[in-house]
Amino acid sequence: MAQFYSAKRRVTTRQTITVTIHELDAFGQGVARHQGKTLFVSGALPGEQVEVVLQEDKRQFARGRAQRILQPSPERVTPRCPWFTTCGGCQQQHASQALQQQSKANALAHLLTRETGQQTTVDEIIGDSAYGYRRRARLGLQYQAKTQTLQMGFRKVASNDLVSIDCCPILQPELEKLLVPLRDCLSSLQAVRRLGHVELVRADNGPLMVLRHLDPLSAADRQKLEQFSHQHGLALFLAPDSDRTEQVSGEQPYYLSHQLTLTFNPRDFIQVNDAVNQKMVAKALEWLDLQPQDRLLDLFCGMGNFTLPAAKIATNVVGVEGVAALTARGAYNAQLNGLENIIFFHENLEEDVTRQPWAAHGFDKVLLDPARAGAGGVMQHIAKLAPQRVVYVSCNPTTLARDSQVLLSAGYRLERVAMLDMFPQTSHLESMVLFSKT
């Protein structure tokens, strides 16, 4: 068999160079030029002169790690987390919040301009606290036989190994203070070698935890966990497999949004940044300019994060979601809040939507909030519906740019763009755009 040699795929020697960083990309990497190609440098900020250890050198770009900062940026700050350079959860704690936000906004505008062919600017940045914002976290659990200790934490950078932590400054304080006592409790269980992961969630009626265990728990272990839940005032859920949860103690969790009560199952998707979520929902409703006579279509609606608040304004609201448990939860929450003007449909929006029952209706406004894969299956039908306004909430700017082209080709104007700072300190870039019919 013939073998082909690809030159310079990886750097095999420890080559160190000195460069000046000219911008920060959306992923928190410094960007420089070296030997006519783009160089991405982790740990470096714009304006800094840095010594860089090259780690990868390809034909069109290279990657490296900042070994020494020769001239620091005024936007450089001290990371609050002692595991910042080891844990894979955060990438930007060394940069000020203002720099993080502006860099993500610039990256979003650049991508939309390049992919749509229309000059695009970000009109506003919707953000809140830089730390203490995360109301949900999944922590891995690994028992180390050699040291007979339980590790609890997040994955290391580019690794499946865990960083065992006892603090996490991006967690809401009520969850962060549970980390040490929770690890102590789990370490004392007879089943310590057969634990999968633990989830912590801060509902508006108190914290909760979900423990995934691989074998049935003994009566003694269940008693210890229940005592822990009472001692720390949290609801306890056990997960013997990936499909079931058993509530052992506490109340049904809920969160409040726009004077509504939204109950949820611990495994239901909810936005982890409550403060930004509240602002995002309010801004989406403002952009839609909902009127009482409007018919609103909410695609990828989940359990009704946008659907229920919108139903307080518009007379007719339709929500469509591919996860049956979420549509059931949305219908339950509509009834709980006395909203009788919502219809939820459980449909796969990646299939031919033209045959789905909701598609036969007419709508004045459309909102969609798809997953990272985007909304390729429904964009042509949205254009066919010809709504006056479309609000697209995105967690992936690449698929947002792709889907935008369908509406632009159908005569829509990209009227507003917002960068959603949903995950400060990380490389995640979320956004929301408004299209209007020309």
Side-chain angles (χ1 to χ4, degrees):
M1 177 185 288
Q3 292 184 341
F4 297 95
Y5 173 69
S6 178
K8 294 188 176 180
R9 301 300 291 177
R10 287 279 179 181
V11 176
T12 57
T13 60
R14 185 181 174 84
Q15 184 181 355
T16 301
I17 60 174
T18 300
V19 297
T20 299
I21 307 298
H22 59 80
E23 66 176 315
L24 192 70
D25 73 1
F27 305 104
Q29 301 175 110
V31 183
R33 299 289 294 178
H34 175 62
Q35 295 183 344
K37 68 180 73 173
T38 301
L39 171 64
F40 299 99
V41 183
S42 62
L45 300 179
E48 293 184 334
Q49 188 179 49
V50 296
E51 283 187 359
V52 179
V53 177
L54 287 182
Q55 298 171 310
E56 186 176 20
D57 194 359
K58 294 191 175 183
R59 182 172 298 175
Q60 295 181 325
F61 68 91
R63 297 187 188 279
R65 171 179 53 81
Q67 178 174 258
R68 190 156 66 103
I69 309 298
L70 303 176
Q71 181 180 323
S73 164
E75 297 298 325
R76 177 172 288 277
V77 297
T78 301
R80 292 191 187 182
C81 179
W83 295 278
F84 169 58
T85 57
T86 309
C87 176
C90 293
Q91 298 79 40
Q92 302 194 20
Q93 286 193 25
H94 62 304
S96 69
Q97 186 178 22
L99 177 59
Q100 291 182 40
Q101 291 180 342
Q102 194 56 56
S103 297
K104 290 181 179 182
N106 291 344
L108 176 62
H110 175 76
L111 178 64
L112 290 175
T113 297
R114 185 187 70 198
E115 296 298 322
T116 65
Q118 298 189 13
Q119 186 63 42
T120 305
T121 58
V122 172
D123 301 289
E124 55 190 302
I125 295 171
I126 299 175
D128 205 88
S129 300
Y131 286 96
Y133 66 84
R134 193 175 184 100
R135 65 176 171 180
R136 183 174 207 151
R138 173 183 287 198
L139 298 132
L141 300 171
Q142 288 181 351
Y143 182 77
Q144 300 297 312
K146 287 185 178 180
T147 59
Q148 295 187 343
T149 58
L150 178 68
Q151 290 187 321
M152 185 180 80
F154 302 112
R155 304 293 174 188
K156 291 182 179 179
V157 178
S159 173
N160 285 326
D161 295 334
L162 287 183
V163 180
S164 193
I165 63 172
D166 54 30
C167 68
C168 179
I170 67 169
L171 286 184
Q172 288 192 0
E174 192 169 356
L175 298 184
E176 186 184 24
K177 71 179 184 181
L178 288 172
L179 294 178
V180 173
L182 175 58
R183 185 176 58 198
D184 291 343
C185 174
L186 298 179
S187 297
S188 71
L189 299 181
Q190 297 170 0
V192 64
R193 292 171 175 81
R194 298 289 293 163
L195 302 177
H197 61 261
V198 62
E199 293 185 66
L200 294 175
V201 184
R202 177 62 172 87
D204 281 357
N205 57 330
L208 65 92
M209 64 173 278
V210 182
L211 178 63
R212 174 76 171 94
H213 53 95
L214 306 180
D215 294 331
L217 296 176
S218 67
D221 280 355
R222 290 177 65 95
Q223 184 178 16
K224 281 186 178 180
L225 290 167
E226 192 166 359
Q227 287 176 346
F228 179 85
S229 71
H230 292 315
Q231 181 182 356
H232 294 275
L234 60 97
L236 171 63
F237 293 79
L238 298 177
D241 55 51
S242 58
D243 297 321
R244 289 182 297 146
T245 57
E246 173 195 353
Q247 186 168 359
V248 177
S249 65
E251 303 175 346
Q252 171 73 42
Y254 65 80
Y255 70 90
L256 303 174
S257 178
H258 297 263
Q259 293 80 52
L260 297 169
T261 300
L262 279 69
T263 66
F264 63 94
N265 182 285
R267 286 187 164 168
D268 290 343
F269 172 81
I270 62 170
Q271 292 286 0
V272 303
N273 191 325
D274 179 54
V276 174
N277 182 58
Q278 299 282 349
K279 294 178 181 180
M280 175 182 70
V281 172
K283 183 60 65 173
L285 298 181
E286 176 189 323
W287 283 3
L288 286 168
D289 189 27
L290 288 177
Q291 304 299 319
Q293 70 273 16
D294 283 338
R295 289 182 55 84
L296 172 68
L297 173 64
D298 183 5
L299 297 171
F300 310 93
C301 68
M303 52 178 258
N305 187 47
F306 294 98
T307 329
L308 275 70
K312 295 178 65 179
I313 307 170
T315 302
N316 292 288
V317 179
V318 170
V320 187
E321 167 59 43
V323 179
L326 293 180
T327 53
R329 180 67 59 185
Y332 173 82
N333 283 329
Q335 183 180 26
L336 178 67
N337 289 279
L339 298 171
E340 300 179 353
N341 55 330
I342 306 176
I343 300 175
F344 284 95
F345 290 94
H346 170 224
E347 298 290 345
N348 186 347
L349 293 172
E350 295 179 356
E351 296 177 348
D352 179 9
V353 300
T354 60
R355 299 178 180 273
Q356 295 177 3
W358 62 268
H361 300 275
F363 298 95
D364 306 296
K365 314 282 174 68
V366 172
L367 185 146
L368 62 158
D369 184 8
R372 291 190 60 79
V378 298
M379 295 309 297
Q380 291 291 347
H381 191 72
I382 292 175
K384 182 180 177 181
L385 290 171
Q388 301 163 10
R389 295 185 176 218
V390 178
V391 170
Y392 189 132
V393 181
S394 168
C395 60
N396 184 348
T398 301
T399 51
L400 167 65
R402 179 201 68 195
D403 294 343
S404 296
Q405 295 176 11
V406 177
L407 295 180
L408 295 173
S409 298
Y412 282 84
R413 181 176 70 254
L414 182 56
E415 190 168 313
R416 305 282 296 177
V417 179
M419 194 284 285
L420 305 171
D421 195 19
M422 191 72 74
F423 299 96
Q425 318 305 336
T426 78
S427 60
H428 294 288
L429 173 52
E430 308 225 345
S431 58
M432 183 167 66
V433 299
L434 167 66
F435 298 92
S436 61
K437 191 71 173 173
T438 56

